[in-house]
């Protein structure tokens, strides 16, 4: 048996070893940050700050994107509203499919397909149509046609998408009470020959082929309208035109009547197209010579619309059929003629008089008065017609159908605006032969001069 002090010593040694072991274990489990560990610990707040910045940047980007999206949507809405408003009041360009145009040999001067502007009508006028032929003079030489082919008067490729429909084409009931609900079509004038050109082969100038196919252009557009709109079921049709387009309407309207056999009524409105033959200040007959050159360059003699006239004349004088008041003798369709006895375009271009009316010298006033008398003489057959109407103002103007003077009374004859006179004629209320013959000195206060 061991002595008690020996046992006690052993127990103490075991306890001491246990304490030492516990102390070492605690030391091993204790984390003491030193050196590098302290630096890692200090980076923690910095990392947190960077994440916060990243979040803020992301939120800001989202806000910016939302703002851009909202702005874009707003712009799209505005563009749609503008397009919708334009489509309701203006004409929208339709270019004929290339294959369709080629099958009918119908080309603008530069070879592009022809086209038209259209605004559809509303009930009860949606079975009625106004087909309008635009002004734009002519190209009477190869150089003229070549230069013209680079403009909207010779190419559908650069024609504007919309065209403002005003005057007789207006959708405003107050301005155009008789026709504002009708279907409206303005055919793009891109042939330079009053829709009468019939030249079979292109004219080559400076290596560029020029297509003088106006009669094919008009036919193709009418065919396309019949096939792709309700124009084929039209009940009433008015063929209207201004200046060179008025001459086109005059010569083409009977031919159109033969094509539209199911239409109940066809009329023609002829605006600013009384191109009478009158001598200018240099003793030249500029108007007759221009129309003669157009007739021959575009080979119009055999065009279907004019052939009844040309076939009755010797070949040396067939160009006379381009004289509107000569061709009038062959006309069957009722027409309403609109013109000025002091046509501002004619005075400038055909008479070569460019002075302001208030300052024209006496010798030029004499030439203007001779022109006025020639027009009054030429109008006698129209005055005697039972079916045809006249609105002839003395105010210096050229065309009126698409201007504000169509409905405003600043240009009035017999106390009637053009719109009122046209309405009376169209609805057969009474004969309309309105002619205002004033002396040159009395027209100087007119409010309008249009070209």
């Amino acid at each position: 048996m061991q002595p008690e002090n020996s046992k006690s010593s052993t127990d103490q040694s075991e306890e001491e070893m246990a304490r030492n072991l516990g102390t070492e274990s605690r030391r091993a489990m204790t984390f003491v940050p030193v050196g590098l560990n302290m630096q890692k610990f200090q980076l923690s707040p910095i990392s947190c700050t960077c994440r916060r910045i990243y979040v803020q940047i992301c939120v800001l980007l989202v806000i910016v994107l939302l703002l851009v999206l909202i702005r874009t949507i707003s712009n799209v809405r505005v563009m749609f509203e503008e397009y919708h408003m334009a489509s309701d009041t203006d004409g929208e360009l339709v270019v004929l499919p290339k294959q369709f145009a080629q099958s009918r040999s119908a080309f603008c001067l530069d070879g592009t397909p022809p086209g038209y502007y259209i605004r559809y009508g509303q009930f009860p006028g949606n079975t009625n149509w106004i087909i309008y032929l635009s002004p734009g003079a002519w190209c009477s030489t190869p150089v003229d046609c070549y230069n013209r082919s680079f403009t909207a008067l010779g190419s559908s490729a650069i024609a504007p998408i919309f065209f403002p429909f005003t005057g007789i084409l207006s959708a405003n009931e107050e301005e155009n009470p008789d026709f504002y609900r009708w279907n409206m079509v303005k055919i793009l004038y891109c042939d330079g020959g009053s829709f009468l050109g019939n030249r079979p082969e292109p004219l080559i100038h400076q290596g560029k082929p020029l297509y003088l196919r106006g009669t094919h252009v008009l036919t193709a557009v009418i065919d396309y309208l019949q096939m792709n709109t309700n124009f084929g079921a039209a009940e009433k049709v008015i063929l209207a035109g201004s200046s060179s387009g008025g001459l086109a309407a005059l010569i083409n309207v009977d031919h159109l009547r033969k094509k539209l056999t199911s239409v109940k009524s066809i009329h023609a409105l002829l605006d600013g197209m009384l191109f009478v033959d009158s001598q200018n200040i240099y003793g030249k007959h500029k108007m007759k010579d221009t129309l003669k050159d157009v007739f021959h360059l575009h080979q119009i003699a055999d065009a279907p619309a004019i052939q009844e006239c040309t076939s009755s004349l010797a070949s040396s004088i067939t160009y006379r059929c381009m004289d509107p008041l000569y061709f009038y003798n062959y006309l069957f369709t009722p027409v309403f003629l609109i013109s000025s006895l002091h046509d501002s375009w004619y005075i400038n271009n055909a008479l070569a008089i460019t002075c302001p009316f208030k300052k024209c010298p006496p010798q030029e006033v004499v030439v203007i008065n001779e022109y006025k008398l020639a027009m009054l003489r030429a109008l006698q057959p129209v005055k005697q017609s039972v079916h045809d109407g006249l609105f002839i103002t003395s105010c210096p103007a050229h065309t009126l159908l698409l201007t504000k003077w169509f409905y405003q009374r600043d240009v009035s004859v017999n106390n009637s605006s053009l719109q009122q006179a046209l309405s009376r004629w169209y609805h057969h209320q009474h004969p309309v032969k309105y002619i205002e013959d004033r002396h040159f000195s009395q027209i100087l206060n007119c409010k309008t001069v249009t070209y």
Side-chain angles (χ1 to χ4, degrees), residues 358-371:
K358 293 183 179 181
K359 298 180 180 180
C360 279
Q363 63 270 26
E364 297 193 0
V365 173
V366 170
V367 174
I368 293 173
N369 284 332
E370 289 176 352
Y371 155 67

Side-chain angles (χ1 to χ4, degrees), residues 85-310:
M85 290 175 65
S87 62
D88 284 346
T89 59
D90 296 344
E92 182 181 358
L93 179 64
V94 176
V95 177
L96 271 57
K98 191 173 183 179
Q99 187 174 1
F100 186 93
Q102 287 177 339
S103 68
R104 289 160 173 78
S105 299
F107 306 103
C108 296
L109 282 171
D110 69 340
T112 54
Y116 59 89
Y117 296 90
I118 188 167
R119 191 193 71 240
Y120 289 99
Q122 300 174 354
F123 182 84
N126 56 343
T127 57
N128 305 325
W129 292 75
I130 289 181
I131 308 295
Y132 179 78
L133 306 180
S134 303
W138 310 269
C139 61
S140 57
T141 68
V143 175
D144 288 345
C145 293
Y146 176 79
N147 293 333
R148 191 182 180 101
S149 70
F150 296 99
T151 74
L153 288 172
S155 174
S156 63
I158 54 179
I161 297 175
F162 293 103
F163 184 86
F165 276 8
T166 55
I168 189 69
L169 304 180
S170 173
N172 186 318
E173 182 178 6
E174 294 182 1
E175 298 176 4
N176 188 24
D178 294 293
F179 309 112
Y180 74 102
R181 289 184 181 273
W182 286 34
N183 299 287
M184 302 294 183
V185 172
K186 173 188 173 293
I187 300 180
L188 186 67
Y189 183 31
C190 65
D191 66 279
S194 283
F195 296 97
L196 293 168
N198 196 38
R199 193 181 185 103
E201 299 298 328
L203 173 69
I204 308 298
H205 183 76
Q206 294 191 14
K208 181 176 183 177
L210 303 170
Y211 298 85
L212 281 59
R213 306 272 180 86
T215 189
H216 301 276
V217 166
L218 183 58
T219 299
V221 171
I222 295 300
D223 287 348
Y224 191 80
L225 287 169
Q226 287 182 304
M227 295 169 61
N228 294 277
T229 71
N230 68 336
F231 182 64
E235 295 183 2
K236 299 177 182 178
V237 173
I238 293 176
L239 182 64
S242 297
S243 191
S244 56
L247 179 61
L250 167 74
I251 296 176
N252 280 291
V253 68
D254 280 351
H255 185 64
L256 180 64
R257 172 187 285 275
K258 294 175 184 177
K259 190 175 182 66
L260 305 178
T261 55
S262 63
V263 175
K264 294 179 180 178
S265 73
I266 297 180
H267 296 74
L269 308 181
L270 313 176
D271 176 30
M273 44 63 70
L274 295 179
F275 304 113
V276 299
D277 177 24
S278 187
Q279 188 172 278
N280 68 12
I281 60 174
Y282 303 110
K284 304 293 185 181
H285 292 262
K286 178 67 179 296
M287 195 73 254
K288 182 184 76 173
D289 292 343
T290 297
L291 292 177
K292 182 179 179 179
D293 290 342
V294 171
F295 180 84
H296 290 305
L297 182 67
H298 291 255
Q299 298 186 8
I300 292 173
D302 294 327
I306 205 172
Q307 200 167 20
E308 183 181 355
C309 177
T310 56

